């Protein structure tokens, strides 16, 4: 019996891995999608309209439509940012959304298996062998493949074993609780509003959130400070917002990277994607769109590699992604470094969010996933206002 040699084994079935498996399978490649069972990543679940369009996502997967965001300063001052005519921010539940993506990959022709990646074995003159276990303590299973694609999260075992420097990836640790939504809206909770808390008592270096998910809501926090109690912060927030009486459906935690790796491939037969490649937006922590877009870049580079046998083709994935989104990541990284460093600066940051120019350009950039260049006068105004806040020349309104 001839052993099956896959064109690609995709390790990890989140938005990035499932997108890669779908794209490659649709092109006729033999793909194995290997995913751990039962894991759901902590995530606010926000998706922009461009994601729905670019990746043909049906609207029935949206569990809520947020039409505004509320920014809460350390002083508890609030600034509401309505989406306005641009539309809405879609909200998804990751357990349902991710499974739909995996099933679409299977329908496209990818083979699905449940298992946890262990390592890659190599023998001279033969394709690499992916080793995995179907369950903890189970026997090692082996499959051969021309290309290994690691989409197995921020602490990617594929990346750690094969990509130089991957083990040093800096992360924010995120924790959230999925709760039953309150029966009625109030000033503390609005089913059509995303609340973002820029308060050092809830997160010393990032932010906390309450995002509506229809019948449920995500209440969470992120921080890179290992001594800070994420669970404690969520408990305080739920108490402050009178959400402590709502049923807790599940709790989830995971590291979230905030800077892309300098290299995504090993120069031979391995490439990483999604959180494993570090494609989560700084400042906002947004990852679903960037995971899927980065996955598409990886799929295109993988297809070229499979067609030519040239490992250099794999480098095209990171180049394509950074060409499109690198400037946005740089701007957001600078924002996070400065504005999240103290409550005094967070207060000024929330004040800036009240500016109409800031709101309009922020929403347009978020919805379209690119920096807005069409309004130079507005950019000049924002630059001058930003400088005033940086220098402390403009007091909070």
């Amino acid at each position: 019996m001839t052993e099956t040699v896959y064109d690609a084994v995709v390790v990890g079935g989140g938005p990035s891995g499932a997108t890669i498996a779908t794209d490659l399978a649709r092109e006729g490649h033999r793909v194995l999608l290997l995913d751990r069972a039962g894991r759901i990543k902590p995530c606010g679940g926000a998706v922009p309209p461009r994601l729905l369009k670019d990746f043909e996502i049906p609207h029935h997967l949206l569990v809520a439509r947020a039409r505004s965001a509320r920014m809460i300063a350390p002083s508890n001052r609030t600034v509401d940012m309505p989406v306005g005519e641009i539309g809405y921010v879609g909200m998804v539940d990751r357990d349902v959304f991710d499974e739909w993506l995996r099933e679409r990959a299977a329908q496209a022709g990818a083979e699905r298996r449940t298992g946890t990646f262990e390592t890659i074995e190599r023998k001279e003159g033969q394709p690499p062998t992916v080793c995995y276990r179907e369950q903890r303590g189970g026997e090692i299973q082996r499959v051969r493949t021309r290309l290994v694609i690691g989409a197995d999260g921020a602490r990617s075992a594929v990346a750690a074993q094969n990509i130089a420097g991957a083990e040093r990836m800096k992360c924010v640790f995120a924790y959230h609780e999925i709760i039953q939504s309150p029966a009625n809206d109030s000033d503390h909770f609005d089913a059509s509003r995303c609340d973002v808390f820029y308060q050092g008592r809830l997160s010393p270096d990032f932010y906390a959130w309450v995002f509506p998910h229809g019948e449920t809501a995500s209440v969470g926090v992120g921080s890179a400070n290992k001594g800070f109690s994420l669970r404690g912060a969520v408990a305080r927030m739920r108490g402050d917002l009178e959400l402590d009486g709502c049923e807790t459906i599940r709790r989830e935690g995971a590291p979230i990277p905030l800077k892309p790796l300098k290299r995504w491939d090993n120069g031979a037969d391995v490439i990483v994607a999604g959180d494993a490649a570090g494609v989560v937006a700084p400042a906002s922590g947004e990852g679903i769109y960037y995971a899927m877009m980065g996955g598409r870049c990886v799929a295109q580079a993988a297809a070229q590699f499979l067609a030519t046998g040239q490992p250099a083709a794999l480098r095209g994935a990171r180049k394509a992604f950074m060409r499109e989104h690198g400037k946005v990541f740089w701007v957001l990284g600078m924002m996070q470094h400065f504005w999240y460093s103290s409550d005094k600066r967070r207060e000024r940051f929330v004040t800036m969010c009240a500016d109409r120019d800031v709101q309009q350009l922020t929403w347009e950039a978020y919805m379209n996933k690119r920096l807005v260049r069409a309004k130079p006068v507005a950019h000049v105004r924002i630059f001058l206002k930003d400088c005033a806040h940086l220098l402390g020349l403009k007091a909070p309104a």
Side-chain angles (χ1 to χ4, degrees):
M1 184 175 179
T2 303
E3 180 183 9
T4 298
V5 178
Y6 293 91
D7 292 321
V9 170
V10 182
V11 181
S16 187
T19 297
I20 295 167
T22 299
D23 286 0
L24 289 177
R26 283 176 172 173
E27 292 190 12
H29 295 291
R30 179 168 286 182
V31 180
L32 173 62
L33 179 60
L34 180 67
D35 188 57
R36 288 189 294 168
R39 181 181 181 276
I40 307 171
K41 179 186 173 183
C43 177
V47 294
R50 182 174 172 181
L51 180 146
L52 305 179
K53 178 181 178 181
D54 287 358
F55 298 96
E56 300 175 336
I57 303 300
H59 283 67
H60 73 75
L61 289 175
L62 300 182
V63 294
R65 291 170 169 80
R67 301 188 183 278
S68 69
R70 171 168 288 183
M71 321 301 253
I72 301 97
S75 64
N76 283 325
R77 177 175 183 258
T78 63
V79 169
D80 287 346
M81 298 177 62
V83 177
E85 297 179 359
I86 298 175
Y88 60 85
V89 177
M91 310 300 295
V92 298
D93 281 338
R94 287 292 300 273
D95 54 342
V96 176
F97 181 73
D98 289 15
E99 176 58 23
W100 186 89
L101 293 175
R102 289 189 288 267
E103 184 56 31
R104 179 166 70 173
Q107 292 176 1
E111 179 183 339
R112 290 184 61 179
R113 293 191 193 179
T114 299
T116 301
F117 170 84
E118 291 286 334
T119 190
I120 299 173
E121 294 179 349
R122 291 183 172 85
K123 293 182 180 180
E124 188 175 353
Q126 296 183 10
T129 298
V130 172
C131 303
Y132 69 95
R133 298 181 192 271
E134 295 178 346
Q135 56 189 5
R136 182 177 295 181
E139 293 184 4
I140 290 287
Q141 307 294 320
R142 292 175 170 84
V143 291
R144 289 189 178 183
T145 180
R146 295 176 61 193
L147 178 65
V148 182
I149 302 176
D152 49 336
R155 292 290 184 252
S156 165
V158 175
Q161 294 177 22
N162 297 277
I163 308 296
E167 72 282 358
R168 298 191 297 272
M169 178 186 289
K170 294 183 179 180
C171 295
V172 161
F173 295 88
Y175 169 78
H176 79 161
E177 296 177 359
I178 297 295
I179 66 171
Q180 193 71 34
S181 294
N184 301 302
D185 287 352
S186 66
D187 189 55
H188 292 312
F189 179 85
D190 187 327
S192 64
R193 187 186 71 214
C194 293
D195 292 352
V196 186
F197 295 80
Y198 296 99
Q199 300 180 340
R201 70 187 189 90
L202 296 178
S203 173
D205 53 356
F206 203 57
Y207 66 82
W209 69 84
V210 177
F211 286 177
H213 283 199
E215 295 182 356
T216 64
S218 166
V219 183
V221 64
S223 175
N225 187 332
K226 294 183 179 180
F228 184 76
S229 174
L230 302 179
R231 287 177 178 263
V234 170
R236 285 195 296 275
M237 183 163 51
R238 289 183 64 174
D240 293 344
L241 301 176
E242 301 177 358
L243 299 175
D244 47 348
C246 298
E247 178 188 357
T248 301
I249 297 172
R250 65 178 190 265
R251 298 177 174 89
E252 297 150 356
I256 298 176
L258 294 180
K259 187 174 182 179
L261 291 179
K262 293 183 178 180
R263 182 160 183 169
W264 293 4
D265 69 280
N266 70 341
D269 50 21
V270 174
I271 188 169
V272 294
D275 281 13
V279 291
V280 177
S284 68
E286 181 191 358
I288 300 177
Y289 173 80
Y290 293 114
M292 296 178 74
M293 179 52 65
R296 179 147 290 171
C297 292
V298 167
Q300 291 169 352
Q304 186 176 357
F305 166 80
L306 294 171
T308 65
Q310 298 297 316
L314 298 176
R315 297 184 183 181
R318 189 184 189 280
K319 290 179 180 178
F321 181 88
M322 297 304 290
R323 184 167 53 247
E324 181 72 14
H325 302 292
K327 189 174 292 185
V328 172
F329 274 45
W330 182 82
V331 170
L332 292 176
M334 293 295 291
M335 284 178 54
Q336 179 178 333
H337 176 74
F338 184 85
W339 291 114
Y340 293 5
S341 61
S342 71
D343 271 356
K344 182 178 180 180
R345 290 179 176 179
R346 292 185 188 99
E347 195 76 37
R348 292 177 182 170
F349 175 72
V350 172
T351 298
M352 280 203 314
C353 292
D355 185 271
R356 290 187 178 182
D357 290 330
V358 171
Q359 292 187 10
Q360 184 174 4
L361 293 182
T362 296
W363 282 124
E364 289 182 2
Y366 172 79
M367 297 294 191
N368 298 304
K369 286 292 167 283
R370 63 176 182 269
L371 294 176
V372 181
R373 301 181 178 87
K375 300 179 180 179
V377 176
H379 279 289
V380 171
R381 287 201 301 267
I382 289 173
F383 174 75
L384 294 175
K385 294 171 185 175
D386 194 34
C387 287
H389 282 284
L390 286 171
L391 297 172
L393 301 177
K394 185 172 182 179

